[in-house]
Amino acid sequence: MAKRKNKRNKKVKKNLKGISGWLAVILIVFIISALNNSYLLIQRIIWLFTKIIGPGVYISMFLLLIYSSLMWYSIYLILKKKKKAIKFSIIALITGFISGLWFYLIGRIILTQFTRLTIINGISTILFNLILILAIISYLKKSKRVKNTLVR
């Protein structure tokens, strides 16, 4: 049993070798985002069976499904050190931005009673996400660590 566990630990260490620094931070952010959005997707699916829902929930479910799938696939590609992880991560981030537009601004304006505060909060959240997304995309495209780690 101890031998099997030791073998598994060596395999995990080998898979994570090279994934450090900002790339590790981005991977952790991706994992948190994928977990959070998967939870939200499950929540919307439960609503499907327990509540009377409007068309906005279907749009939310669709966006969450695409974004969560792309995020999990990007995480997998990063852990496997695949070069196409960069492309899929960028696609996932753009999809996440579109989802954010829906959740924090468009959906709220269309589906709920909105106020200036709602719009200001939505716009500030979207701007923060945009800055974070642009920083991650820039890092993924220009970093030597990323180019040297994601080579397969």
Side-chain angles (χ1 to χ4, degrees):
M1 175 107 168
K3 192 174 187 179
R4 182 186 285 170
K5 189 174 182 179
N6 192 23
K7 190 175 182 180
R8 191 179 317 141
N9 286 341
K10 285 181 181 179
K11 188 176 181 180
V12 170
K13 286 179 184 178
K14 182 183 175 193
N15 286 343
L16 293 176
K17 188 176 182 183
I19 300 175
S20 59
W22 284 108
L23 185 56
V25 172
I26 289 171
L27 181 62
I28 291 167
V29 168
F30 279 16
I31 292 169
I32 291 168
S33 180
L35 286 169
N36 182 48
N37 285 284
S38 296
Y39 169 77
L40 291 173
L41 176 61
I42 292 167
Q43 184 183 51
R44 298 312 189 275
I45 292 169
I46 291 169
W47 288 359
L48 198 62
F49 299 106
T50 60
K51 292 184 176 186
I52 298 172
I53 57 172
V57 176
Y58 293 105
I59 295 169
S60 294
M61 285 174 37
F62 176 72
L63 292 171
L64 285 168
L65 177 64
I66 292 173
Y67 178 62
S68 296
S69 299
L70 286 168
M71 262 301 156
W72 284 117
Y73 189 57
S74 296
I75 292 164
Y76 169 78
L77 291 173
I78 291 170
L79 290 173
K80 290 295 183 180
K81 300 178 186 145
K82 300 286 186 178
K83 194 170 191 170
K84 62 183 177 180
I86 298 168
K87 180 170 68 171
F88 276 95
S89 295
I90 292 170
I91 292 169
L93 290 167
I94 291 169
T95 304
F97 180 72
I98 292 167
S99 297
L101 281 174
W102 169 255
F103 293 124
Y104 296 112
L105 198 60
I106 298 168
R108 288 186 183 175
I109 290 172
I110 293 172
L111 302 174
T112 63
Q113 179 114 17
F114 65 94
T115 62
R116 278 191 193 169
L117 185 61
T118 305
I119 293 173
I120 291 169
N121 286 340
I123 290 172
S124 63
T125 302
I126 289 167
L127 288 175
F128 174 77
N129 286 339
L130 180 62
I131 292 167
L132 186 63
I133 287 167
L134 291 174
I136 291 172
I137 289 172
S138 176
Y139 175 77
L140 290 174
K141 285 187 157 195
K142 296 179 182 179
S143 168
K144 289 181 183 179
R145 177 183 299 279
V146 172
K147 289 176 184 165
N148 291 334
T149 302
L150 306 178
V151 293
R152 294 183 197 163

